[in-house]
Amino acid sequence: ITNKSLDDQRTEQEVPGLKLANPAVLPAPQKADANRGDYPELSPQKPAKPPHVHRGPSNLQIKAPRKDTRLKTQHDTIRDVEELVQADKVEKTEKSIISWRGALIEPDQSTEPPSTKLKEPERPSSVEAEDQKEPVPINERQLAVIEAFRHAWRGYKDFAWGHDELKPLSKSYSEWFGLGLTLIDALDTMWILGLKEEFEEARRWVANNLVFDKNVDVNLFESTIRILGGLLSTYHLSGDSLFLEKAKDIGNRLMPAFKTPSKVPYSDVNIGRGTAHPPRWTSDSTVAEVTSIQLEFRELSRLTGDEKFQKAVDEVMKHVHTLSGKHDGLVPMFINTNSGQFTHLGVYTLGARADSYYEYLLKQWIQGGKKENELLEDYMRAIEGVKKHLLQRSEPKKLAFVGELAHGHFSAKMDHLVCFLPGTLALGAHNGLAADHMKLAETLVETCYQMYAQVETGLSPEIVHFNLHAQKGHKDVEVKPADRHNLLRPETVESLFYMFRFTGDKKYQDWGWEILQNFNRYTRVPTGGYTSINNVQNPSNPEPRDKMESFFLGETLKYMFLLFSDDIDLINLDKYVFNTEAHPLPIWVPA
């Protein structure tokens, strides 16, 4: 059996020449009660208009679920969840409250790199429902994540439906690309959380309202990781070819970005006109942006059989591999689209504008079946460069942190974005790389947790500075006034998820639980939604800035749910690799 409605199957037949490589990878979620709970009011105040946040640089077969896999509720989940989320500490419980998942995921032998020929459409094969593993019950902390997602979604649905981002305090929305960014970013999260009703409603919006033929400039990187990545992962999880059709459309419309003298893509594309250009103020692109679109375009080639997508992004990686201007594997932040050379040499960071270059070196190597040695060499060299030039310890707690280097001068500054690194290091160690990468991951994730724990609201600022010398009355972490905002970012929770998956140490779940409670305490808006805040150091007035980034639903709450899960097969990390927007894509296995 497939988990498809007739409507879904009809859509499949309407996409000639596309191979449906994967049947549904998780069983269709079941309905649950719309439980809602409210938190102390965030007093609306007119925040200064913040600039738009650029994330800088930050085939599978399924056995059908057993017929007896039903939604089980042991008691009133609404009351249970509301009491649970409001409590400061909750005893860890083994009670199974909801169980809906019963899928056994197996590699499908057809997951291979793209061939040059266009593939014939193929229906998911139906599989016998025998040899089924018992579904793992959803626990109370996961229920709290579901409740938080529903609360956020209620705000989006009531005040920003079909628009890019919710402004929860003013009960309105903001547009960036005008492409329903929050909705697309959240599709696979809803599938994983089991929110069937919400998913179906969002799917209808995609089918009827998502149109890419419009005269609008989009950022190549952001639209690739959020829109293309979100559509591809939702296609893999649901098996619904509507999402593949839309992915192919946006993928084609982003291709003009690669028409540059150097083949290093421009930052911006007009997806209606088919033109591309650099930002107004420079002909440079950001290194992270041009090297963090590869997972998505490579997968699009594999699914469609059209090699142009993979060819364009592989060329960028091969080019960057040969460039001079690196410092023991560390790369500068900018690259010129005309010359193809690094610019603004001598500045090295793992934060904004460089971060996901390192992440995608490892993840492309994993995605491609660990065959592309240049990617692995560049990754290993870079981690050695980090250890040699950027790794220091703070005082008084001697926390290991990753700073920045500017023209030979070390700065003890660390972006919250850098907190992706422990998770990436752990993923590499899990895939057979140096064991000391895991040790480094353990020490760095502790630091990322301290960036929350040492701050008054228990939420991390965007940037911290570490004290290198012990001073009386000073903690390890110092925050400058310009850096004390929190955008509901996912990187620390992401790394906690990897660390828990690979070690089983429940302290990582406890740390994540603290963070979720602090999001509820200081960023939750009673009428629906969560908001970024301007001041993590002021619990009595965190200064809400009236914006819910799409990645809060796409990444932060998804990683929370997976962190709290006791089911290692819920997005199994030997079968999937997450893109930098938390959208899982399948690891290719040889035919």
Side-chain angles (χ1 to χ4, degrees):
I1 32 173
T2 63
N3 297 306
K4 285 205 176 52
S5 65
L6 288 171
D7 185 36
D8 298 353
Q9 294 177 4
R10 192 169 60 251
T11 319
E12 257 167 46
Q13 294 159 341
E14 292 164 6
V15 196
L18 286 188
K19 177 184 178 196
L20 184 58
N22 301 321
V25 170
L26 289 176
Q30 297 188 3
K31 295 178 188 179
D33 304 326
N35 44 58
R36 294 170 172 175
D38 281 344
Y39 278 76
E41 293 269 350
L42 280 172
S43 51
Q45 58 174 50
K46 208 159 180 165
K49 192 172 180 188
H52 196 90
V53 184
H54 272 264
R55 295 285 303 293
S58 172
N59 237 26
L60 298 173
Q61 243 166 230
I62 183 166
K63 300 223 170 174
R66 282 191 183 173
K67 285 180 183 146
D68 62 356
T69 307
R70 296 268 190 277
L71 190 69
K72 296 178 199 144
T73 53
Q74 277 184 303
H75 49 265
D76 182 350
T77 56
I78 300 175
R79 191 174 61 249
D80 189 67
V81 172
E82 290 189 345
E83 286 168 6
L84 165 80
V85 187
Q86 298 209 31
D88 271 9
K89 292 280 174 200
V90 169
E91 291 298 319
K92 278 178 254 165
T93 172
E94 298 305 313
K95 276 184 278 185
S96 58
I97 296 179
I98 293 188
S99 161
W100 58 270
R101 217 176 266 102
L104 181 62
I105 303 168
E106 296 176 345
D108 166 24
Q109 295 311 304
S110 69
T111 322
E112 56 191 88
S115 71
T116 50
K117 287 200 281 278
L118 213 64
K119 300 175 183 175
E120 289 300 306
E122 186 186 281
R123 223 6 122 16
S125 55
S126 66
V127 220
E128 290 304 313
E130 295 311 308
D131 308 321
Q132 190 61 22
K133 81 172 189 145
E134 282 301 310
V136 177
I138 287 182
N139 58 45
E140 294 196 357
R141 286 181 175 182
Q142 285 178 290
L143 277 175
V145 178
I146 291 172
E147 194 281 331
F149 183 97
R150 278 213 159 105
H151 182 79
W153 193 249
R154 168 164 49 132
Y156 178 72
K157 193 177 158 185
D158 288 351
F159 309 122
W161 184 252
H163 297 286
D164 284 344
E165 287 159 331
L166 167 67
K167 298 175 76 174
L169 292 169
S170 54
K171 301 187 177 62
S172 63
Y173 58 83
S174 59
E175 293 291 40
W176 189 8
F177 307 146
L179 297 173
L181 212 50
T182 293
L183 186 147
I184 296 174
D185 231 355
L187 284 165
D188 57 2
T189 306
M190 289 185 272
W191 188 276
I192 290 165
L193 269 57
L195 300 176
K196 182 179 175 62
E197 233 169 81
E198 291 88 341
F199 179 85
E200 286 301 332
E201 194 173 10
R203 183 207 180 273
R204 282 195 295 277
W205 184 88
V206 172
N208 301 326
N209 303 94
L210 181 60
V211 178
F212 295 127
D213 187 11
K214 57 201 307 189
N215 178 15
V216 62
D217 274 10
V218 303
N219 175 276
L220 170 68
F221 164 72
E222 296 289 0
S223 49
T224 298
I225 66 170
R226 303 192 199 206
I227 299 173
L228 179 56
L231 291 168
L232 288 171
S233 66
T234 305
Y235 164 64
H236 280 294
L237 295 176
S238 69
D240 183 342
S241 63
L242 165 70
F243 301 108
L244 179 55
E245 185 186 3
K246 295 290 186 186
K248 190 179 178 189
D249 187 11
I250 186 69
N252 275 310
R253 290 172 183 278
L254 293 172
M255 287 303 288
F258 296 93
K259 288 183 187 155
T260 70
S262 66
K263 301 288 200 306
V264 172
Y266 290 130
S267 61
D268 294 278
V269 192
N270 186 303
I271 53 174
R273 290 182 176 168
T275 56
H277 58 89
R280 280 187 302 279
W281 56 90
T282 176
S283 55
D284 289 350
S285 284
T286 293
V287 171
E289 293 195 1
V290 304
T291 56
S292 308
I293 51 181
Q294 279 67 15
L295 291 178
E296 300 82 358
F297 277 91
R298 285 156 52 111
E299 178 60 10
L300 188 57
S301 275
R302 190 183 70 81
L303 290 174
T304 62
D306 188 341
E307 63 182 5
K308 71 181 178 195
F309 305 111
Q310 173 157 7
K311 209 167 157 224
V313 295
D314 280 356
E315 221 166 288
V316 178
M317 293 312 296
K318 287 189 172 70
H319 175 71
V320 170
H321 175 72
T322 63
L323 277 185
S324 60
K326 293 180 193 159
H327 186 42
D328 290 327
L330 303 175
V331 293
M333 295 192 286
F334 298 97
I335 187 167
N336 188 275
T337 51
N338 295 319
S339 68
Q341 298 299 306
F342 289 130
T343 61
H344 304 277
L345 301 179
V347 180
Y348 304 98
T349 174
L350 262 78
R353 304 189 187 283
D355 52 354
S356 45
Y357 160 74
Y358 304 100
E359 176 189 353
Y360 268 38
L361 287 173
L362 176 70
K363 288 181 173 180
Q364 287 173 82
W365 177 71
I366 292 170
Q367 177 191 47
K370 306 184 190 177
K371 295 174 187 156
E372 298 155 287
N373 289 328
E374 282 185 358
L375 296 166
L376 180 61
E377 286 162 24
D378 285 352
Y379 175 73
M380 294 300 284
R381 193 172 293 124
I383 299 307
E384 289 310 304
V386 169
K387 291 195 276 196
K388 184 173 173 185
H389 300 291
L390 304 182
L391 197 62
Q392 294 261 23
R393 287 195 179 268
S394 66
E395 294 293 342
K397 285 195 169 181
K398 305 207 180 304
L399 302 174
F401 70 94
V402 176
E404 299 183 354
L405 200 63
H407 311 293
H409 173 76
F410 180 80
S411 163
K413 163 184 178 279
M414 181 166 151
D415 293 359
H416 182 272
L417 287 166
V418 180
C419 287
F420 85 90
L421 184 59
T424 298
L425 287 166
L427 180 64
H430 175 74
N431 279 279
L433 304 187
D436 72 327
H437 284 202
M438 193 64 184
K439 289 200 170 55
L440 182 55
E442 286 170 356
T443 58
L444 287 174
V445 80
E446 163 84 35
T447 304
C448 289
Y449 167 65
Q450 290 296 331
M451 286 163 63
Y452 288 74
Q454 292 195 18
V455 176
E456 288 79 351
T457 56
L459 293 173
S460 172
E462 180 75 350
I463 298 168
V464 299
H465 289 77
F466 286 93
N467 284 313
L468 293 172
H469 309 287
Q471 298 172 60
K472 205 173 176 193
H474 283 259
K475 298 177 181 172
D476 301 71
V477 174
E478 298 278 355
V479 186
K480 298 191 172 177
D483 303 333
R484 61 191 184 190
H485 48 292
N486 178 292
L487 305 180
L488 313 173
R489 283 202 190 274
E491 289 78 19
T492 293
V493 178
E494 172 186 351
S495 283
L496 291 173
F497 157 65
Y498 283 105
M499 297 307 293
F500 176 69
R501 271 284 170 101
F502 297 141
T503 69
D505 189 334
K506 288 192 179 298
K507 78 178 177 190
Y508 298 121
Q509 291 182 318
D510 294 342
W511 292 354
W513 180 241
E514 283 175 37
I515 293 169
L516 178 61
Q517 290 180 102
N518 289 323
F519 278 138
N520 274 324
R521 207 168 281 131
Y522 298 110
T523 73
R524 183 174 170 121
V525 180
T527 46
Y530 288 74
T531 177
S532 302
I533 56 175
N534 270 326
N535 191 350
V536 294
Q537 295 181 300
N538 187 349
S540 61
N541 179 16
E543 298 168 30
R545 58 196 282 173
D546 196 19
K547 184 169 189 182
M548 185 173 80
E549 300 282 347
S550 81
F551 52 71
F552 182 63
L553 301 186
E555 300 188 69
T556 310
L557 291 181
K558 182 188 294 146
Y559 282 131
M560 284 274 187
F561 187 80
L562 293 170
L563 165 63
F564 298 145
S565 174
D566 303 309
D567 182 3
I568 62 156
D569 282 322
L570 180 56
I571 315 298
N572 184 311
L573 293 173
D574 293 323
K575 298 191 171 101
Y576 287 97
V577 62
F578 282 94
N579 87 337
T580 196
E581 189 77 8
H583 298 305
L585 300 172
I587 293 168
W588 306 344
V589 294

